[in-house]
């Protein structure tokens, strides 16, 4: 096959780059220079990053921003956010400031149970399987002791193992559904190691048990956190609208996201702007969080909003419930220097505390987006923040940037308006 390669993984970094640039780029020297430009001059740090994953040839930077003024459960926080999209950090900061003046965010962890499953096939009688499972269950716990010992010392471990009959969905399909408490660890490796041991012990009790796979589930509806804000409807008033008008329209926007999947996806995407950026900054697995959160948003059978809002007795309330399996020990948390900085900024939180902070970031983000959407429209604030990106795209120099930022303080930012203003200035 043209451009195929064998043994690429064994090449040195330099060999990998040479092979790539000579086979895939028009300007070899420029492509190589660009990859090398992003290497860290600190060789130890670069090696650390090279070894996070495989076939590493360069780094890919994301901005590390901070959103101050988050009052969460009566304590002030500065939230680290790793994100490339303009206006997200500004929106979070804006919402934080808004709610700081109205009592702040309240957050609580509802539950922390994680799940793993041994998926297996069995085509004999169910009673036989039930009897086997009953007999072997104590051994399933016993034989994982060497893996669970340290976790148990921290107060975690395997909570329960259940036999689940899935044969109505797939002929011969059963599960061992295992629940875990993993304390401050996200627990993926711990859970998977336990599951593989459980599977080994279990299949040894009958030749009719055919284990297909053993793996944690990223669907964690019982690892749940809730965050909310509330204030009197009157205190939402501005010169432009009354508190009642604002709250009514805001609630309508939330209701629309509750019933209309097309809107719910965008609504929840805005929430994930906040969630993912904190999850990334704190070295957690955003793919796992994304998959779990969206499955939760669709748990009724129809994809729906993750946030909800109400007015009761003159009080406006806005809240979110999110399934979040996060860790503050293990994984990248102890390895990535910026993750360590992010966690220290948050006061080295427990996993439960981090769940609260992440949920608050999601709620704040959604509040800022809905506030803009239902009042000025999103483009005004978003494009104001995006202005620098457009100017950079046109390689504006510092003097041009200063003049155009000043100009757009009193003019609406659109892509074409910025292009025109640059052309006028340069003419
Ligand atoms: P504003 O009221 O024009 O801002 O809002 P301001 O200049 O009056 O400043 C007020 C505060 O906002 C500041 O306080 C900051 O907290 C923050 P201060 O620091 O001055 O004491 N702020 C900033 N923070 C950092 N850097 C900045 C900055 N500017 C303001 N440069 C703002 C402007 C953009 C914040 C507002 O319009 C907003 O919140 N808009 C929403 C933007 C948004 O949601 N962006 C997400 C990307 S769009 C998207 O992907 C999601 C979406 O589709 C989801 C959905 O549909 O639901 C919208």
């Amino acid at each position: 096959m043209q451009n195929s390669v064998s043994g690429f993984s064994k090449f040195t970094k330099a060999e990998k780059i040479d092979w790539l640039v000579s086979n895939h780029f028009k300007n070899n020297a420029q492509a190589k220079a660009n990859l090398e430009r992003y290497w860290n001059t600190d060789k130890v740090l670069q090696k650390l990053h090279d070894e996070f994953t495989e076939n590493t040839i360069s780094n890919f930077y994301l901005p590390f921003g901070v959103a101050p003024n988050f009052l969460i459960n009566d304590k002030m926080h500065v939230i680290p956010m790793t994100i490339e999209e303009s206006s997200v950090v500004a929106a979070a900061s804006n919402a934080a400031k808004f709610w700081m003046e109205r009592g702040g965010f309240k957050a609580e962890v509802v539950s922390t149970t994680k799940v793993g499953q041994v998926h297996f096939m069995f085509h004999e009688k169910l009673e036989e399987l039930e009897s086997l499972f009953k007999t072997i269950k104590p051994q399933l716990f016993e034989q994982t002791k060497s893996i669970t010992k340290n976790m148990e010392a921290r107060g975690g471990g395997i909570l329960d193992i259940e036999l689940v009959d899935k044969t109505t969905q797939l002929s011969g399909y059963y599960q061992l559904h295992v629940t875990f408490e993993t304390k401050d660890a996200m627990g993926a490796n711990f859970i998977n190691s336990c599951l593989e041991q459980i599977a080994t012990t279990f299949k040894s009790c009958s030749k009719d048990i055919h284990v297909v796979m053993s793996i944690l589930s990223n669907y964690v509806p019982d690892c749940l956190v809730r965050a909310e804000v509330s204030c009197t409807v009157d205190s939402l008033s501005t010169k432009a609208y009354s508190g009642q008008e604002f709250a009514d329209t805001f609630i309508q926007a939330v209701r629309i996201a509750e019933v209309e999947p097309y809107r719910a996806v965008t609504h929840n995407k805005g929430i994930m702007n906040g969630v993912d950026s904190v999850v990334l900054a704190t070295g957690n697995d955003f793919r796992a969080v994304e998959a779990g959160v969206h499955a939760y948003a669709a748990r009724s059978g129809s994809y729906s909003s993750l946030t909800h809002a109400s007015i009761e007795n003159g009080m406006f309330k806005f809240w979110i419930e999110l399934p979040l399996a996060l860790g503050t020990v293990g994984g990248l948390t102890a390895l990535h220097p910026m993750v360590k900085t992010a966690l220290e900024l948050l006061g080295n939180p427990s996993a439960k505390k981090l769940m609260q902070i992440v949920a608050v970031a999601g709620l704040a983000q959604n509040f800022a987006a809905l506030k803009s959407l239902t009042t000025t429209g999103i483009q005004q604030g978003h494009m104001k923040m995006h202005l620098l990106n457009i100017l950079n795209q046109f390689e504006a120099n510092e003097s041009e940037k200063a003049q155009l930022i000043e100009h757009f303080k009193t003019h609406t930012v659109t892509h074409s308006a910025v292009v025109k203003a640059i052309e006028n200035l340069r003419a």
Side-chain angles (χ1 to χ4, degrees), residues 18 45 53-54 62 64 66 69 84 90 99 103 111 122-123 138 154 161 217 252 256 259 278 307 309 321 347 358 396:
D18 284 343
L45 192 64
T53 183
E54 304 79 37
L62 282 176
F64 180 87
V66 289
N69 297 324
E84 85 298 346
W99 285 106
S111 50
F122 183 82
H123 293 282
R154 290 192 289 271
I161 307 175
S217 172
Q252 276 157 4
I256 289 168
V259 300
V278 189
T307 54
E321 260 180 23
V358 170

Side-chain angles (χ1 to χ4, degrees), residues 117-230:
Q117 295 168 322
V118 177
H119 304 271
F120 67 96
M121 311 307 283
F122 183 82
H123 293 282
E124 304 305 318
K125 288 211 171 75
L126 173 62
E127 301 80 64
E128 191 189 321
L129 182 63
E130 282 172 337
S131 160
L132 275 172
F133 175 66
K134 209 170 158 203
T135 313
I136 202 150
K137 191 171 172 181
Q139 278 185 57
L140 300 179
F141 281 97
E142 195 51 45
Q143 309 239 324
T144 52
K145 276 281 171 245
S146 62
I147 310 170
T148 57
K149 205 171 118 217
N150 289 346
M151 189 61 88
E152 280 173 8
R154 290 192 289 271
I158 300 173
L159 301 176
D160 198 8
I161 307 175
E162 286 171 273
L163 174 68
V164 184
D165 180 354
K166 303 289 280 186
T167 52
T168 52
Q169 280 132 302
L170 182 65
S171 167
Y173 172 35
Y174 294 88
Q175 297 168 349
L176 294 183
H177 183 90
V178 190
T179 45
F180 297 86
E181 168 57 58
T182 62
K183 304 308 278 184
D184 287 333
M186 190 263 189
N189 286 331
F190 168 75
I191 292 174
N192 289 336
S193 299
C194 288
L195 292 172
E196 289 188 3
Q197 180 55 55
I198 289 169
T200 305
T201 310
F202 188 53
K203 71 182 172 198
S204 71
C205 74
S206 165
K207 63 172 178 30
D208 296 319
I209 291 170
H210 173 62
V211 172
V212 178
M213 60 190 160
S214 311
I215 188 74
L216 94 165
S217 172
N218 290 125
Y219 186 44
V220 285
D222 292 319
C223 190
L224 204 64
V225 57
R226 181 190 156 98
E228 75 168 54
V229 284
S230 62

Side-chain angles (χ1 to χ4, degrees), residues 266-284:
T266 316
H267 178 97
N268 289 348
K269 183 274 183 195
I271 292 170
M272 299 315 281
N273 280 340
V275 169
D276 282 341
S277 56
V278 189
V279 167
L280 259 175
T282 56
N284 277 279

